[in-house]
Amino acid sequence: DTEVTQTPKHLVMGMTNKKSLKCEQHMGHRAMYWYKQKAKKPPELMFVYSYEKLSINESVPSRFSPECPNSSLLNLHLHALQPEDSALYLCASSREGGMNTEAFFGQGTRLTVV
Amino acid sequence: DQQVKQNSPSLSVQEGRISILNCDYTNSMFDYFLWYKKYPAEGPTFLISISSIKDKNEDGRFTVFLNKSAKHLSLHIVPSQPGDSAVYFCAASRRDGQNFVFGPGTRLSVLP
C-alpha cells in the first residue's frame, strides 16, 4: 500500500461552517504534511507532523488547525474560512521527517468556500 | 523572494524528442533537489531526486543534472511521450529536510 488517502475529494462550505479534511496513510511513514495549492501556483506547506511533533508555517491563519490522532492519520479542521481559502488541499507523507526523501501525496481535497 | 525558480511556465515538445526542464535556486543551503510531476486533479508524484554530492542521477528515461556553482538543475526526459504531459515541479530542501520549497512549475506538453 503506497497510497495517501484523502477524504472528501470535494467540499463546499459556507463561511460559518466547521468541517474537517482527513488524511490517512498505512506505509508506516513518520512524517505527514498538509499543503495548500492555489491554481497555477506551487503547493505551499501549511503544517508538518513529524515524529509526534507539530511544526506550523506561521503564515497559516488560525482558522486552520491540524490534529494527529495517531501516526497514520492527520486531520485538518476548518472553521470560519474565507472565500480566498478556496484551493486544493494536499496531504503528503514521507518515511523520515523531512521532505528530502520521497514524499507521497494524496489526490487532494478541492475546497470551495462560499 | 522565490528561492526556487522555474522560468519557463510552459514547454511543448514533439513525441520522441528530448524535453529539458530547467530550475534555478538561490539558497546555497539547499543540498537536496527533487522533481515532482503533477497531473490535473491528482497530487504530485515523486519522479527523481539528486543530492548535492552528485552532478547527475539517472532513472530510465529521466535524468537530472545538477550544477552547484551555477545553482542550476535540469530534468531531461528522453524520449518524450504524450503521457509525460503534466506540470513538473522542481523542489529543494536542506539535507535535514527543512526549508523545503517547491518551484512554480513548468507545464510540459508532448505533442504526438
Side-chain angles (χ1 to χ4, degrees), chain B residues 8-103:
Chain B
S8 298
S10 62
L11 175 68
S12 291
V13 171
Q14 209 68 37
E15 181 179 6
R17 306 295 291 266
I18 185 170
S19 295
I20 300 177
L21 296 100
N22 292 305
C23 177
D24 297 287
Y25 61 96
T26 58
N27 189 338
S28 57
M29 299 291 288
F30 288 145
D31 50 22
Y32 202 82
F33 306 91
L34 309 94
W35 284 93
Y36 282 83
K37 176 167 109 171
K38 186 178 186 301
Y39 292 117
E42 292 185 14
T45 54
F46 172 79
L47 204 54
I48 193 168
S49 64
I50 189 167
S51 76
S52 59
I53 61 173
K54 293 187 172 183
D55 55 19
K56 177 182 174 182
N57 189 22
E58 191 172 353
D59 183 2
R61 295 186 297 114
F62 303 92
T63 304
V64 56
F65 296 92
L66 175 64
N67 181 335
K68 276 194 303 179
S69 59
K71 294 193 177 68
H72 176 83
L73 62 153
S74 60
L75 174 68
H76 292 211
I77 307 173
V78 56
S80 301
Q81 299 172 354
D84 296 329
S85 298
V87 176
Y88 289 78
F89 290 102
C90 173
S93 79
R94 290 179 359 199
R95 187 179 308 277
D96 60 2
Q98 299 303 309
N99 198 19
F100 181 89
V101 180
F102 278 102

Side-chain angles (χ1 to χ4, degrees), chain A residues 3-4 10 20 23-24 27-30 32 36-37 50 55 57 71-73 75 80 85-86 104 111-113:
Chain A
E3 278 194 356
V4 174
H10 301 274
S20 296
C23 177
E24 188 170 8
M27 295 177 277
H29 286 177
R30 301 301 301 273
M32 295 182 74
K36 172 183 175 181
Q37 186 177 23
S50 175
S55 300
N57 179 342
S71 59
S72 298
L73 293 171
N75 300 325
D85 296 321
S86 299
F104 292 80
L111 174 68
T112 303
V113 181

Side-chain angles (χ1 to χ4, degrees), chain A:
Chain A
D1 183 5
T2 57
E3 278 194 356
V4 174
T5 304
Q6 289 187 241
T7 54
K9 288 191 167 41
H10 301 274
L11 178 63
V12 179
M13 60 185 289
M15 290 189 284
T16 58
N17 291 161
K18 281 186 182 181
K19 297 285 184 183
S20 296
L21 308 185
K22 297 186 184 304
C23 177
E24 188 170 8
Q25 57 87 15
H26 294 288
M27 295 177 277
H29 286 177
R30 301 301 301 273
M32 295 182 74
Y33 313 80
W34 278 110
Y35 281 84
K36 172 183 175 181
Q37 186 177 23
K38 301 282 276 185
K40 298 185 179 179
K41 296 285 188 183
E44 293 178 14
L45 183 65
M46 300 176 73
F47 303 102
V48 180
Y49 204 88
S50 175
Y51 292 94
E52 301 171 5
K53 183 180 173 186
L54 178 66
S55 300
I56 298 172
N57 179 342
E58 294 187 357
S59 68
V60 175
S62 59
R63 54 186 182 266
F64 296 91
S65 59
E67 179 207 7
C68 193
N70 60 57
S71 59
S72 298
L73 293 171
L74 184 65
N75 300 325
L76 184 63
H77 300 301
L78 316 172
H79 174 54
L81 295 194
Q82 303 297 309
E84 61 263 29
D85 296 321
S86 299
L88 180 68
Y89 288 83
L90 292 161
C91 177
S93 71
S94 62
R95 188 179 67 247
E96 303 294 334
M99 291 285 282
N100 60 339
T101 58
E102 177 184 354
F104 292 80
F105 282 81
Q107 289 202 330
T109 295
R110 174 71 60 189
L111 174 68
T112 303
V113 181
V114 297

